[in-house]
Amino acid sequence: MISYKKLGLVNTKKMFEVALARKFAIPGYNINNLEQLQAIIIGCGETESPVIIQISQGARAYANQTMLRYLGEGGVEMAKEKGYSIQIALHLDHGSSFELAKSCIDSGFSSVMFDGSHLEYEENIKITQKVVDYAHEREVSVEAELGILAGIEEHVKSDVHQYTEPEQVEDFVNRSKCDSLAIAIGTSHGAYKFKVEREEDIPELRFDILQDVRKRLGKYPIVLHGSSSVLKKYVTMINQNGGALEKAFGIPEEQLRKATQYGVSKINIDTDGRLVVTAIVRKILAENPKEIDPRKYLGPARQELIEMIKRKNKMVLGSAGQAKYIS
Ligand code: G3H
Ligand code: 13P
Ligand code: ZN
């Protein structure tokens, strides 16, 4: 059993306090491997942004649960070595059970999500509460979810949105005592977020629901999942190099900026990182068919990921330069 504190990680409490006061969103970047972690540390370190490193159940199985603890610690140590003064949280993304959340807490995670959004309301509260009890004794933060995002979630496949019902949020938060709440206002996971033909037809997120939730919860951290913008540059690069991503559209950046002004304190991004890596690897291998050294394509992919993260922190989330206000 190891506490995240020993690894130099932090929970999300102060991050969220400052994000709410200063109206920006903490990035929740998902990782599966070393290069993604390095890119996040460098990208967030260079932009002086706090960061939540997210591990899905699938990522945990892929990377190995024991390895992850050392990756988390390695990220903290790498940041120190490079002289970055940033706060790093290690977070379980879309945890599907109390047992999984407990196991992550016991192996050094500083934050966990219990995603009971697909469960019946009372059951969602009950398990969230159980996770909160265990987590709070150890000063670990807990994210919960109300409402269902369309698209593919790890253990949830949903064809339709089930928007969060604002009438439920106060009761849910007060009874479950979760530290942040993910809500469904029209975002969804993956590269195909909207069934539209053209970018111009992408609908607005349900800012009315967001505002209502915000009014009811006051200064309380709200989380948006499924918030990649599905950057056109990388979709094009993938398609020019043998890929076949058609009608892939994400959340327009101006809508994400607006969300941060309406009280969203954490924005989750996985797909954009996947697109960057796939685009660069495809391009390099297409142009250099004899290349067999992974460093020659994963290195440039990592560099492009750093640039993508820096730009997002600066231009979309507003998290750049905020680390100095936390701690
Ligand atoms: O919300 C889901 C994340 O994008 C993680 O995806 O389950 O394929 O690792 P994954
Ligand atoms: P995207 O698929 O939009 O990147 O969303 C990621 C996410 O919500 C991880 O929990
Ligand atoms: Zn998610």
Side-chain angles (χ1 to χ4, degrees):
M1 198 128 76
I2 179 106
S3 165
Y4 68 87
K5 294 174 195 166
K6 279 229 165 72
L7 307 180
L9 298 159
V10 299
N11 67 22
T12 59
K13 193 174 185 331
K14 283 197 181 136
M15 287 186 187
F16 284 150
E17 277 170 18
V18 175
L20 279 164
R22 297 182 57 80
K23 290 196 175 176
F24 69 92
I26 310 279
Y29 290 122
N30 285 65
I31 69 159
N32 307 282
N33 68 15
L34 177 65
E35 284 80 3
Q36 289 171 308
L37 174 63
Q38 292 169 322
I40 290 169
I41 299 299
I42 296 171
C44 291
E46 287 186 359
T47 51
E48 298 170 14
S49 168
V51 65
I52 298 173
I53 295 171
Q54 310 209 120
I55 313 290
S56 70
Q57 277 180 236
R60 187 170 185 257
Y62 178 82
N64 177 281
Q65 62 177 74
T66 305
M67 178 67 84
L68 278 174
R69 164 173 131 203
Y70 294 100
L71 275 183
E73 189 173 22
V76 170
E77 293 303 320
M78 180 183 168
K80 271 195 222 156
E81 179 215 291
K82 287 186 163 289
Y84 303 144
S85 244
I86 57 168
Q87 300 77 19
I88 304 170
L90 187 63
H91 173 81
L92 167 66
D93 192 26
H94 295 285
S96 63
S97 68
F98 167 77
E99 289 71 24
L100 176 64
K102 177 180 182 301
S103 168
C104 287
I105 292 167
D106 291 348
S107 68
F109 281 54
S110 60
S111 175
V112 292
M113 175 188 194
F114 171 68
D115 178 0
S117 57
H118 56 294
L119 298 174
E120 191 266 317
Y121 181 75
E122 288 298 329
E123 188 66 7
N124 188 0
I125 292 194
K126 196 170 116 194
I127 305 177
T128 303
Q129 176 69 75
K130 192 171 171 193
V131 173
V132 165
D133 284 346
Y134 190 81
H136 283 185
E137 265 178 46
R138 291 151 184 86
E139 292 181 67
V140 169
S141 309
V142 178
E143 176 182 323
E145 181 167 334
L146 263 185
I148 298 176
L149 275 66
I152 303 157
E153 293 198 25
E154 196 156 8
H155 54 286
V156 187
K157 259 194 179 169
S158 174
D159 289 332
V160 284
H161 289 284
Q162 192 180 303
Y163 296 115
T164 302
E165 292 175 30
E167 303 73 36
Q168 292 184 332
V169 298
E170 288 156 284
D171 180 64
F172 186 88
V173 165
N174 289 337
R175 285 171 60 203
S176 75
K177 301 201 167 42
C178 57
D179 302 292
S180 59
L181 184 69
I183 61 168
I185 59 165
T187 62
S188 62
H189 293 101
Y192 300 95
K193 299 197 189 297
F194 304 103
K195 289 192 180 86
V196 295
E197 296 293 318
R198 307 169 315 159
E199 205 177 347
E200 307 84 87
D201 300 327
I202 294 173
E204 269 254 305
L205 295 176
R206 291 290 303 273
F207 288 106
D208 56 323
I209 298 178
L210 174 56
Q211 277 180 298
D212 197 352
V213 169
R214 169 85 163 138
K215 209 164 66 197
R216 289 165 190 269
L217 293 181
K219 288 213 160 185
Y220 178 87
I222 297 168
V223 179
L224 278 195
H225 280 246
S227 293
S228 280
S229 292
V230 188
L231 300 161
K232 217 195 291 184
K233 175 180 170 188
Y234 302 111
V235 173
T236 305
M237 205 185 283
I238 288 171
N239 288 341
Q240 282 169 346
N241 290 286
L245 300 181
E246 278 143 35
K247 294 174 199 150
F249 300 116
I251 314 296
E253 292 184 344
E254 61 275 14
Q255 293 202 37
L256 294 172
R257 280 187 211 105
K258 189 169 162 184
T260 65
Q261 298 314 299
Y262 282 40
V264 166
S265 306
K266 173 175 176 254
I267 287 187
N268 285 10
I269 296 147
D270 187 355
T271 299
D272 277 342
R274 295 178 179 196
L275 290 171
V276 167
V277 173
T278 303
I280 300 298
V281 169
R282 271 195 181 276
K283 184 168 189 292
I284 291 177
L285 292 182
E287 289 169 359
N288 305 276
K290 291 195 168 55
E291 187 56 70
I292 59 156
D293 181 348
R295 293 170 298 185
K296 296 284 168 40
Y297 47 88
L298 293 180
R302 180 177 63 192
Q303 189 55 41
E304 189 71 23
L305 200 46
I306 292 171
E307 301 309 324
M308 191 275 279
I309 287 168
K310 285 167 71 171
R311 189 183 163 280
K312 243 186 222 296
N313 292 350
K314 286 185 203 164
M315 310 297 292
V316 183
L317 310 179
S319 64
Q322 303 286 358
K324 59 177 170 292
Y325 299 104
I326 310 171
S327 87

